[in-house]
């Protein structure tokens, strides 16, 4: 559980934090406040996880070491969970979340249209 930036109670669950963004914020179970993790933070966590996993497994394959492969998977998983527990939630109001959601859909629709006409 994460502390809500609005009421400071642990009312935001881990899965909600992992999938939170401006257009899809996490909601506090106590006060109903909305918050999200910065895109740069979630991107950095994903990058660490993939680089650690792929680099460790590549090195393990090159050296033929099962122990190193298991260690790479453990470090990637434990590091991912640890970083998600330490990430900060940024408060966001409902109108900003709704605007971000509309912009996200408009951007997606524009991208689809551009792909269709190329």
């Amino acid at each position: 559980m994460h502390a809500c930036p609005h009421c400071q109670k642990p009312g935001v669950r881990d899965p909600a934090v992992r999938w939170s963004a401006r257009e899809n914020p996490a909601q506090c179970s106590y006060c109903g406040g909305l918050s999200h993790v910065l895109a740069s933070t979630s991107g950095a966590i994903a990058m660490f996880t993939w680089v650690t996993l792929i680099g460790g497994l590549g090195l393990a394959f090159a050296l033929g070491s099962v122990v190193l492969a298991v260690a790479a998977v453990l470090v990637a998983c434990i590091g991912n969970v640890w970083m998600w527990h330490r990430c900060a939630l940024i408060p966001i109001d409902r109108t900003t979340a709704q605007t971000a959601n509309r912009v996200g859909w408009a951007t997606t629709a524009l991208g689809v249209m551009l792909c269709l006409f190329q």
Side-chain angles (χ1 to χ4, degrees):
M1 293 290 263
H2 289 266
C4 172
H6 298 281
C7 67
Q8 301 304 317
K9 293 182 181 177
V12 183
R13 298 193 175 278
D14 288 341
V17 171
R18 287 177 191 243
W19 297 106
S20 67
R22 283 182 187 244
E23 61 273 0
N24 185 28
Q27 186 169 7
C28 176
S29 59
Y30 288 107
C31 70
L34 301 178
S35 56
H36 67 97
V37 175
L38 292 176
S40 59
T41 301
S42 61
I45 293 172
M47 184 61 68
F48 162 81
T49 303
W50 285 110
V51 167
T52 304
L53 191 60
I54 293 170
L57 290 177
L59 185 62
F61 179 73
L63 297 176
S65 173
V66 175
V67 174
L68 191 58
V70 171
V73 170
L74 285 175
V75 168
C77 291
I78 291 170
N80 183 288
V81 170
W82 179 77
M83 284 187 277
W84 276 113
H85 279 301
R86 294 183 48 86
C87 65
L89 288 170
I90 308 299
I92 189 170
D93 59 283
R94 291 189 188 282
T95 56
T96 305
Q98 291 168 348
T99 302
N101 195 358
R102 284 193 296 270
V103 168
W105 279 107
T107 305
T108 302
L110 181 63
V112 169
M113 294 301 288
L114 288 173
C115 288
L116 290 175
F117 294 110
Q118 284 193 12

